[in-house]
Short mmCIF file of all heavy atoms in Angstrom, two decimals:
data_model
loop_
_atom_site.label_atom_id
_atom_site.label_comp_id
_atom_site.label_asym_id
_atom_site.label_seq_id
_atom_site.Cartn_x
_atom_site.Cartn_y
_atom_site.Cartn_z
N LEU B 225 -29.16 -19.64 11.14
CA LEU B 225 -29.22 -21.08 10.92
C LEU B 225 -29.02 -21.85 12.23
O LEU B 225 -29.79 -22.76 12.56
CB LEU B 225 -28.17 -21.50 9.88
CG LEU B 225 -28.05 -22.99 9.61
CD1 LEU B 225 -29.34 -23.55 9.04
CD2 LEU B 225 -26.89 -23.27 8.64
N LEU B 226 -27.97 -21.47 12.97
CA LEU B 226 -27.67 -22.19 14.21
C LEU B 226 -28.80 -22.04 15.22
O LEU B 226 -29.21 -22.99 15.88
CB LEU B 226 -26.35 -21.70 14.81
CG LEU B 226 -25.09 -21.98 13.99
CD1 LEU B 226 -23.88 -21.36 14.65
CD2 LEU B 226 -24.88 -23.47 13.78
N MET B 227 -29.31 -20.80 15.32
CA MET B 227 -30.33 -20.53 16.33
C MET B 227 -31.65 -21.22 16.01
O MET B 227 -32.29 -21.81 16.89
CB MET B 227 -30.55 -19.02 16.42
CG MET B 227 -31.46 -18.63 17.55
SD MET B 227 -31.81 -16.88 17.52
CE MET B 227 -30.21 -16.22 17.79
N THR B 228 -32.06 -21.16 14.74
CA THR B 228 -33.37 -21.72 14.40
C THR B 228 -33.32 -23.24 14.34
O THR B 228 -34.18 -23.92 14.91
CB THR B 228 -33.89 -21.17 13.06
OG1 THR B 228 -32.93 -21.46 12.04
CG2 THR B 228 -34.13 -19.68 13.14
N ALA B 229 -32.33 -23.77 13.63
CA ALA B 229 -32.33 -25.20 13.36
C ALA B 229 -31.90 -26.02 14.57
O ALA B 229 -32.38 -27.13 14.78
CB ALA B 229 -31.42 -25.50 12.18
N PHE B 230 -30.96 -25.50 15.35
CA PHE B 230 -30.37 -26.32 16.40
C PHE B 230 -30.89 -26.01 17.80
O PHE B 230 -30.97 -26.89 18.64
CB PHE B 230 -28.85 -26.18 16.40
CG PHE B 230 -28.20 -26.71 15.16
CD1 PHE B 230 -27.95 -25.89 14.08
CD2 PHE B 230 -27.86 -28.06 15.07
CE1 PHE B 230 -27.38 -26.38 12.92
CE2 PHE B 230 -27.29 -28.56 13.92
CZ PHE B 230 -27.05 -27.72 12.84
N VAL B 231 -31.21 -24.75 18.08
CA VAL B 231 -31.48 -24.38 19.46
C VAL B 231 -32.97 -24.14 19.72
O VAL B 231 -33.57 -24.75 20.59
CB VAL B 231 -30.69 -23.11 19.87
CG1 VAL B 231 -30.84 -22.87 21.36
CG2 VAL B 231 -29.22 -23.27 19.51
N LEU B 232 -33.57 -23.25 18.94
CA LEU B 232 -34.94 -22.83 19.26
C LEU B 232 -36.01 -23.63 18.51
O LEU B 232 -37.18 -23.62 18.88
CB LEU B 232 -35.12 -21.34 18.97
CG LEU B 232 -34.27 -20.39 19.82
CD1 LEU B 232 -34.55 -18.94 19.46
CD2 LEU B 232 -34.52 -20.61 21.31
N GLY B 233 -35.62 -24.30 17.42
CA GLY B 233 -36.59 -25.08 16.68
C GLY B 233 -37.70 -24.22 16.08
O GLY B 233 -38.85 -24.65 16.00
N ILE B 234 -37.36 -23.01 15.68
CA ILE B 234 -38.35 -22.15 15.02
C ILE B 234 -37.98 -22.09 13.53
O ILE B 234 -36.84 -22.35 13.16
CB ILE B 234 -38.41 -20.75 15.65
CG1 ILE B 234 -37.04 -20.06 15.61
CG2 ILE B 234 -38.91 -20.84 17.09
CD1 ILE B 234 -37.03 -18.65 16.20
N PRO B 235 -38.97 -21.77 12.66
CA PRO B 235 -38.68 -21.86 11.22
C PRO B 235 -37.68 -20.80 10.75
O PRO B 235 -37.87 -19.61 11.00
CB PRO B 235 -40.04 -21.66 10.57
CG PRO B 235 -40.97 -21.19 11.63
CD PRO B 235 -40.36 -21.43 12.95
N GLU B 236 -36.66 -21.26 10.06
CA GLU B 236 -35.57 -20.39 9.61
C GLU B 236 -36.11 -19.25 8.74
O GLU B 236 -35.68 -18.10 8.86
CB GLU B 236 -34.57 -21.23 8.81
CG GLU B 236 -33.32 -20.50 8.36
CD GLU B 236 -32.38 -21.37 7.56
OE1 GLU B 236 -32.76 -22.50 7.19
OE2 GLU B 236 -31.26 -20.93 7.29
N HIS B 237 -37.09 -19.56 7.88
CA HIS B 237 -37.57 -18.56 6.94
C HIS B 237 -38.46 -17.50 7.59
O HIS B 237 -38.81 -16.52 6.96
CB HIS B 237 -38.31 -19.23 5.78
CG HIS B 237 -39.60 -19.87 6.18
ND1 HIS B 237 -39.66 -20.95 7.04
CD2 HIS B 237 -40.88 -19.58 5.89
CE1 HIS B 237 -40.91 -21.29 7.23
NE2 HIS B 237 -41.68 -20.48 6.54
N LYS B 238 -38.82 -17.72 8.84
CA LYS B 238 -39.64 -16.73 9.54
C LYS B 238 -38.78 -15.83 10.44
O LYS B 238 -39.29 -15.04 11.22
CB LYS B 238 -40.72 -17.41 10.38
CG LYS B 238 -41.73 -18.21 9.58
CD LYS B 238 -42.55 -17.34 8.64
CE LYS B 238 -43.75 -16.76 9.33
NZ LYS B 238 -44.53 -15.91 8.36
N VAL B 239 -37.50 -16.00 10.34
CA VAL B 239 -36.59 -15.19 11.16
C VAL B 239 -35.70 -14.36 10.24
O VAL B 239 -35.07 -14.90 9.33
CB VAL B 239 -35.71 -16.09 12.07
CG1 VAL B 239 -34.75 -15.23 12.90
CG2 VAL B 239 -36.59 -16.94 12.97
N ARG B 240 -35.69 -13.08 10.48
CA ARG B 240 -34.79 -12.19 9.73
C ARG B 240 -33.72 -11.70 10.69
O ARG B 240 -34.04 -11.14 11.75
CB ARG B 240 -35.59 -11.02 9.16
CG ARG B 240 -34.75 -10.02 8.40
CD ARG B 240 -35.65 -8.92 7.84
NE ARG B 240 -34.86 -7.90 7.18
CZ ARG B 240 -35.36 -6.72 6.79
NH1 ARG B 240 -36.63 -6.45 6.98
NH2 ARG B 240 -34.58 -5.84 6.21
N VAL B 241 -32.48 -11.92 10.34
CA VAL B 241 -31.38 -11.46 11.19
C VAL B 241 -30.66 -10.32 10.48
O VAL B 241 -30.26 -10.46 9.31
CB VAL B 241 -30.39 -12.60 11.52
CG1 VAL B 241 -29.22 -12.08 12.35
CG2 VAL B 241 -31.11 -13.71 12.29
N ILE B 242 -30.51 -9.22 11.18
CA ILE B 242 -29.86 -8.05 10.62
C ILE B 242 -28.64 -7.72 11.48
O ILE B 242 -28.77 -7.55 12.69
CB ILE B 242 -30.82 -6.83 10.60
CG1 ILE B 242 -32.05 -7.15 9.74
CG2 ILE B 242 -30.10 -5.58 10.08
CD1 ILE B 242 -33.16 -6.10 9.84
N ALA B 243 -27.50 -7.66 10.85
CA ALA B 243 -26.30 -7.18 11.53
C ALA B 243 -25.98 -5.82 10.92
O ALA B 243 -25.39 -5.76 9.84
CB ALA B 243 -25.13 -8.15 11.34
N PRO B 244 -26.42 -4.74 11.55
CA PRO B 244 -26.25 -3.42 10.94
C PRO B 244 -24.78 -2.98 11.05
O PRO B 244 -23.91 -3.82 10.91
CB PRO B 244 -27.20 -2.56 11.78
CG PRO B 244 -27.28 -3.24 13.11
CD PRO B 244 -27.04 -4.70 12.85
N ASP B 245 -24.51 -1.73 11.27
CA ASP B 245 -23.11 -1.35 11.50
C ASP B 245 -22.63 -2.08 12.74
O ASP B 245 -23.30 -2.06 13.78
CB ASP B 245 -23.01 0.17 11.70
CG ASP B 245 -23.19 0.92 10.38
OD1 ASP B 245 -22.83 0.35 9.32
OD2 ASP B 245 -23.70 2.04 10.39
N VAL B 246 -21.52 -2.74 12.62
CA VAL B 246 -20.97 -3.52 13.73
C VAL B 246 -19.60 -2.96 14.07
O VAL B 246 -18.74 -2.82 13.18
CB VAL B 246 -20.91 -5.02 13.39
CG1 VAL B 246 -20.18 -5.79 14.49
CG2 VAL B 246 -22.32 -5.58 13.22
N GLY B 247 -19.41 -2.64 15.33
CA GLY B 247 -18.21 -1.93 15.77
C GLY B 247 -17.05 -2.84 16.12
O GLY B 247 -16.62 -2.92 17.25
N GLY B 248 -16.54 -3.51 15.10
CA GLY B 248 -15.40 -4.41 15.30
C GLY B 248 -15.84 -5.78 15.74
O GLY B 248 -16.88 -5.95 16.39
N GLY B 249 -15.07 -6.79 15.35
CA GLY B 249 -15.44 -8.16 15.71
C GLY B 249 -14.22 -8.94 16.17
O GLY B 249 -14.18 -9.45 17.27
N PHE B 250 -13.23 -9.04 15.26
CA PHE B 250 -11.99 -9.75 15.54
C PHE B 250 -12.24 -11.20 15.93
O PHE B 250 -11.49 -11.79 16.70
CB PHE B 250 -11.18 -9.02 16.63
CG PHE B 250 -11.16 -7.53 16.43
CD1 PHE B 250 -11.80 -6.67 17.29
CD2 PHE B 250 -10.54 -7.00 15.31
CE1 PHE B 250 -11.82 -5.31 17.06
CE2 PHE B 250 -10.55 -5.64 15.06
CZ PHE B 250 -11.18 -4.79 15.95
N GLY B 251 -13.32 -11.75 15.43
CA GLY B 251 -13.68 -13.13 15.74
C GLY B 251 -14.79 -13.22 16.77
O GLY B 251 -15.67 -14.07 16.68
N SER B 252 -14.78 -12.31 17.73
CA SER B 252 -15.67 -12.48 18.89
C SER B 252 -17.15 -12.37 18.53
O SER B 252 -18.00 -12.75 19.33
CB SER B 252 -15.33 -11.47 19.98
OG SER B 252 -15.66 -10.16 19.56
#
Side-chain angles (χ1 to χ4, degrees):
Chain B
L225 176 62
L226 294 176
M227 187 186 296
T228 57
F230 295 92
V231 188
L232 296 181
I234 58 179
E236 185 181 10
H237 68 295
K238 297 296 274 181
V239 179
R240 178 178 176 191
V241 177
I242 300 170
D245 287 330
V246 173
F250 317 112
S252 68

